Amino acid sequence: MGRLTGGDPSLLRRINSAVVLDALRAAEAATLTRLVQVTGLSRPTVEGVVEGLIESGLVVEVPAEEGEARRQGRPARRFRFRTEAGHLLGIEIGPHRIVALLSDLSGRVLDTAQRPVEEGAPADERLDRVRAVVADLLRRTGVPRRGLRAVGVASPGIVEADGTVRLGTALPGWTGLPLGDRLRRSFRCPVLVENDANAAAVAEHWQGAAAGSDDLVFVLAGLSPGAGSLIGGRLHRGFGGAAGEIGALHLLGREATPEALLSTTGKPLHPLDEAQVAAVFAAAGRGDARARDAVDRFVRRLVHDVAALVLALDPELVVIGGWATGLAGVLGPLREELARYCLRPPRVVLSQLGEAAVATGALRLALDHVEGELFAVEGTVTARR
């Protein structure tokens, strides 16, 4: 594909290329005169940068419309950023499904693919399902694998910087899995791996309920809840990637596990059995006393877990996602209890992206990587320090 910025590899040339390319991205099409005005660079510099970007395939000259040429004689040359110059993938690897999103270089989703997977599937089988979903998506859209510029992957577990899952109890064979290395064998581009709750937090900040909020907590609610947070507009992973693992907070008090709290039979629910969870909430909605007690216990635990993060981080906003997005009764108790526990209660809202949050966040990882190469002088939201 060649160098992303084209031309002279010097730092100054790269910065100039990033500035011009960013200006072109912000406009549908721009003339050289407009680029000079926006960037503050000299006209010869802009001309040289644009020619280099054209050679790299990232910029194309926009033909003048016939009527415009007749009215004005020779019109000014106009250029645009070629969002079709490459493609990005966002992949969600979950307990029950694999989802892949394909986008152009602007992050606009072009197509999606999804396949179920058994919760007990071994790691190799789950990875084979990932490859099958991607192959199907690329084949259907006609996008060659070599046209991918970056791949973002979101998965349960504590994920290290190189994409290794240091601890992953939700998926069989996931602890210690070199997930990044295994997937990089299938692609000719960078593969970025992130925890699923972190990815969902990024997604909601990008185009969901947290758009415009730079200090937020996203709670991926479930029997093993997790959370992702942005502090000052940047994803906060912690030193070893374990920030937000609120599902382990019950260990501090050695209290009952969430799957025991939500049980109506005395036998703990399976953490990944979403049908069982849905049945308990449905029974509570019908007025079943034992189910209502179980739901109350679970919500109190969820409030306790969320309050711990809120007290530590003081976010502007808490977004509730996961299967809780379908539970209209969760927000009220959360707001009331956080008001009791927290010195400055945050706003609490449901996810706007719903089931698409994790895969959308994975796509944002890939987009951030490419934007870091093409446009960024400063770090991106998901860049690792």
Side-chain angles (χ1 to χ4, degrees):
M1 298 292 290
R3 292 186 61 84
L4 288 176
T5 51
D8 189 341
S10 71
L11 178 60
L12 180 59
R13 178 71 176 186
R14 178 177 174 80
I15 292 173
N16 289 343
S17 294
V19 169
V20 171
L21 197 57
D22 192 44
L24 283 168
R25 177 178 60 159
E28 186 174 337
T31 64
L32 289 173
T33 299
R34 180 59 180 163
L35 290 174
V36 169
Q37 294 171 344
V38 171
T39 65
L41 300 173
S42 69
R43 189 177 184 89
T45 296
V46 170
E47 288 179 334
V49 168
V50 168
E51 291 303 320
L53 292 171
I54 290 174
E55 291 176 8
S56 73
L58 289 169
V59 169
V60 66
E61 185 171 352
V62 179
E65 296 181 3
E66 185 177 354
E68 181 184 8
R70 288 177 178 174
R71 289 191 305 270
Q72 302 178 6
R74 183 178 180 183
R77 298 173 69 194
R78 296 184 304 152
F79 307 90
R80 70 170 178 86
F81 170 54
R82 294 185 67 240
T83 60
E84 70 275 20
H87 294 85
L88 310 171
L89 272 180
I91 302 172
E92 172 191 351
I93 304 177
H96 302 100
R97 66 176 191 165
I98 307 296
V99 181
L101 308 181
L102 180 74
S103 83
D104 61 18
L105 292 182
S106 72
R108 181 174 64 93
V109 175
L110 305 176
D111 204 351
T112 67
Q114 177 176 325
R115 289 190 185 183
V117 62
E118 293 293 330
E119 64 184 50
D124 286 346
E125 180 180 332
R126 200 173 299 271
L127 292 177
D128 285 343
R129 187 63 52 90
V130 171
R131 297 183 187 98
V133 169
V134 170
D136 176 60
L137 182 58
L138 296 181
R139 181 171 55 251
R140 194 168 67 234
T141 56
V143 172
R145 194 171 292 262
R146 66 178 180 278
L148 295 174
R149 291 292 184 99
V151 176
V153 180
S155 161
I158 298 172
V159 180
E160 297 181 346
D162 65 354
T164 298
V165 182
R166 181 156 60 89
L167 179 64
T169 57
L171 305 180
W174 227 241
T175 296
L177 180 71
L179 182 58
D181 287 344
R182 292 286 298 273
L183 291 177
R184 288 180 190 108
R185 301 172 191 173
S186 301
F187 301 101
R188 303 178 183 178
C189 62
V191 175
L192 304 312
V193 183
E194 188 57 79
N195 166 266
D196 53 359
N198 286 348
V202 169
E204 293 289 344
H205 180 259
W206 179 28
Q207 51 185 221
S213 298
D214 283 344
D215 292 271
L216 67 104
V217 167
F218 177 92
V219 179
L220 194 60
L223 292 184
S224 297
S229 58
L230 267 65
I231 300 175
R234 291 183 63 89
L235 183 61
H236 177 68
R237 298 179 175 91
F239 178 76
E245 292 295 326
I246 59 176
L249 282 175
H250 70 277
L251 298 174
L252 297 178
R254 300 188 180 278
E255 299 174 10
T257 62
E259 49 265 37
L261 290 173
L262 198 55
S263 173
T264 59
T265 64
K267 180 181 179 181
L269 304 182
H270 190 288
L272 300 180
D273 193 335
E274 296 175 358
Q276 274 189 308
V277 172
V280 174
F281 276 91
R286 293 192 300 268
D288 183 281
R290 298 182 70 178
R292 282 190 302 185
D293 288 344
V295 169
D296 287 344
R297 290 194 301 268
F298 176 79
V299 170
R300 286 197 299 270
R301 165 60 56 77
L302 185 63
V303 169
H304 174 270
D305 294 346
V306 175
L309 274 180
V310 170
L311 285 169
L313 300 180
D314 184 30
E316 174 189 1
L317 182 68
V318 172
V319 182
I320 306 298
W323 50 256
T325 55
L327 305 175
V330 168
L331 289 190
L334 269 176
R335 288 169 178 151
E336 292 173 6
E337 294 301 300
L338 288 177
R340 289 178 54 198
Y341 289 126
C342 300
L343 303 177
R344 191 204 58 78
R347 290 192 296 120
V348 182
V349 299
L350 288 179
S351 164
Q352 288 183 2
L353 298 175
E355 289 188 345
V358 175
T360 300
L363 179 64
R364 181 70 230 191
L365 291 175
L367 181 59
D368 264 2
H369 178 83
V370 170
E371 287 187 346
E373 290 190 321
L374 295 180
F375 312 113
V377 176
E378 299 180 355
T380 58
V381 170
T382 58
R384 292 186 182 269
R385 296 186 184 277

